[in-house]
Amino acid sequence: MIPITVVDVSDAEPLVREVLRSGAIAQGPMVRRFESTFAEISGTRHAVAVNNGTTALVAALQVLDLRPGDEVVTSPFTFVATLNAILEAGATVRFADIRDDDFALDPDRVAEVVGPRTRVLMPVHLYGQTADMGKLAPLAAEHGLHVVEDAAQAVGATFEGRPAGSFGLGCFSLYATKNVTTAEGGVITCDDDEVADRLRVLRNQGMRARYQYEVAGHNYRMTDLHAAVGIPQLERLERITAARRRNAERLGAGLAGTPGLRVPPVLPGREHVWHQYTVLIGPHAMLSRDELAAQLTERGIGNGIYYPKVVFDYDCYREHPLVPEASPAGVPVAAAVAEQALSLPVHPALSESDVDFVVETVRELLGA
Ligand SMILES: *Cc1c(COP(=O)(O)O)cnc(C)c1O
């Protein structure tokens, strides 16, 4: 069996033991060490660690002091946390369609959706490749919008040399299956000293000095135990990413030209970190996407459908007052991609023969 993801935290033990022995297991020096290493990687002045990626998004929106009716423009093709975080922050969500090459916000569609109440642009760097920040960042600046990046899947990715998470407030997830994990965890990156300070106060019940409350806050803290799990991975992140990239290149070379299948393009100027390797199975393929997925599972090849529908296409969002005017017909590219996307194993634990087995099996099933 070749799983779709493998969690490797085998190098975490020494630091975790150190924390356990110290008896100080909640937020402390290990979290600070994790944060400074993370800030270096993302090329930002600050990294604020929190307890998961969803709260990273919520906290990033909360420090922007949004008012009822303020709108956040985001992608309809994403994990549900993107949407839930916006709703948790009390903002109204507007969806702009994606492009089918980077699976991220299409700047032209964003321009059509931005209105007088729009305050935040939230691109999602899906599968490990950044959105088109060369167009999206200037667009946000032109309309006076804050940029909050959902970089949950894109630690280490760059756009024209600039790291994901350095274009505004960067929100990362450290969930078990992400490229870097602390089991559960999240990070917000930013350059602004005052915003970073407010995030730190917000994550700790709004408290600066003991029992001195500045804002109505929350408990968003990461623990030293979790930070200890993640630090060694940050230190070997380049190797983790290189292994994913090698596997992606081998998959791409092997799968190119398979009838009905499109390999994921790497766009110029973007360094992809391959959180997922996602192919599109078109309508003329020998098997439907779902049939191919089932066949692969049967033959011991893990796979995943990220994501089977556009994010708002569920009953719980249909009448939601903060999700107005959302319809799959309004985001046709996202709706089509959701029917065609299939992710194949690309994680660092794959051997060359694993990758070759994936390639040969997919090609055989699609009649190549
Ligand atoms: C994983 C993920 C999140 C949420 O992160 P959690 O740590 O699971 O809360 C948000 N957005 C995207 C795109 C993700 O993949």
Side-chain angles (χ1 to χ4, degrees):
M1 177 77 199
I2 301 177
I4 181 75
T5 183
V6 167
V7 180
D8 177 10
V9 290
S10 51
D11 52 5
E13 264 195 60
L15 280 186
V16 170
R17 271 176 202 280
E18 194 180 315
V19 175
L20 288 172
R21 276 202 219 98
S22 78
I25 57 176
Q27 183 183 292
M30 234 18 121
V31 169
R32 282 196 293 280
R33 187 167 147 193
F34 183 89
E35 289 177 333
S36 61
T37 310
F38 202 96
E40 235 168 77
I41 285 169
S42 54
T44 53
R45 283 175 59 77
H46 302 282
V48 179
V50 293
N51 54 355
N52 62 62
T54 311
T55 50
L57 290 164
V58 172
L61 290 170
Q62 285 174 333
V63 287
L64 300 178
D65 288 328
L66 302 182
R67 280 169 309 189
D70 285 349
E71 294 176 0
V72 178
V73 173
T74 195
S75 168
F77 191 59
T78 182
F79 182 52
V80 73
T82 315
L83 169 54
N84 285 340
I86 296 168
L87 301 180
E88 176 77 17
T92 299
V93 58
R94 297 276 175 193
F95 294 101
D97 207 357
I98 60 167
R99 292 175 17 177
D100 73 354
D101 51 3
D102 59 13
F103 308 109
L105 280 177
D106 182 335
D108 294 335
R109 300 289 85 78
V110 171
E112 294 164 1
V113 171
V114 169
R117 298 304 307 269
T118 310
R119 296 276 318 280
V120 180
L121 179 59
M122 185 183 280
V124 180
H125 305 317
L126 206 69
Y127 304 146
Q129 181 165 239
T130 70
D132 185 357
M133 297 313 292
K135 289 198 177 134
L136 291 170
L139 188 68
E142 182 191 326
H143 293 276
L145 310 179
H146 298 284
V147 174
V148 175
E149 301 167 68
D150 184 337
Q153 303 184 0
V155 60
T158 62
F159 183 93
E160 287 171 2
R162 262 182 86 175
S166 71
F167 292 86
L169 284 158
C171 302
F172 294 85
S173 167
L174 306 164
Y175 180 65
T177 57
K178 296 294 178 7
N179 288 21
V180 170
T181 181
T182 58
E184 296 269 12
V187 189
I188 307 140
T189 53
C190 70
D191 282 321
D192 187 309
D193 297 351
E194 197 229 316
V195 169
D197 177 67
R198 289 174 59 208
L199 283 168
R200 291 178 198 287
V201 169
L202 185 65
R203 96 175 142 182
N204 190 27
Q205 306 288 5
M207 186 166 80
R208 184 175 300 279
R210 202 173 179 82
Y211 304 131
Q212 300 298 308
Y213 307 110
E214 280 186 9
V215 290
H218 210 292
N219 175 359
Y220 293 148
R221 295 183 306 264
M222 178 185 274
T223 74
D224 267 20
L225 272 177
H226 289 91
V229 172
I231 287 167
Q233 292 165 66
L234 292 181
E235 287 167 354
R236 63 180 165 93
L237 180 59
E238 281 183 18
R239 270 177 288 147
I240 293 173
T241 304
R244 287 179 175 275
R245 202 164 280 153
R246 249 194 328 273
N247 294 338
E249 278 164 13
R250 200 170 179 88
L251 285 165
L255 290 172
T258 307
L261 177 149
R262 203 194 74 187
V263 298
V266 179
L267 298 171
R270 302 191 215 186
E271 282 182 335
H272 202 313
V273 297
W274 300 105
H275 174 61
Q276 296 293 349
Y277 187 91
T278 304
V279 298
L280 296 184
I281 306 302
H284 303 298
M286 246 177 68
L287 294 178
S288 75
R289 188 266 313 266
D290 292 353
E291 285 164 351
L292 178 61
Q295 287 287 321
L296 288 173
T297 303
E298 203 155 288
R299 297 191 186 203
I301 297 175
N303 58 88
I305 294 173
Y306 313 111
Y307 298 91
K309 297 213 271 179
V310 294
V311 70
F312 54 78
D313 193 13
Y314 296 86
D315 282 344
C316 56
Y317 300 117
R318 250 179 271 287
E319 303 293 320
H320 199 295
L322 298 178
V323 192
E325 291 171 43
S327 118
V331 289
V333 179
V337 168
E339 288 179 359
Q340 299 185 6
L342 181 67
S343 299
L344 302 172
V346 72
H347 56 78
L350 296 172
S351 66
E352 283 194 354
S353 63
D354 289 338
V355 176
D356 292 344
F357 179 61
V358 172
V359 167
E360 284 155 21
T361 309
V362 170
R363 286 181 63 85
E364 183 203 321
L365 288 168
L366 292 181

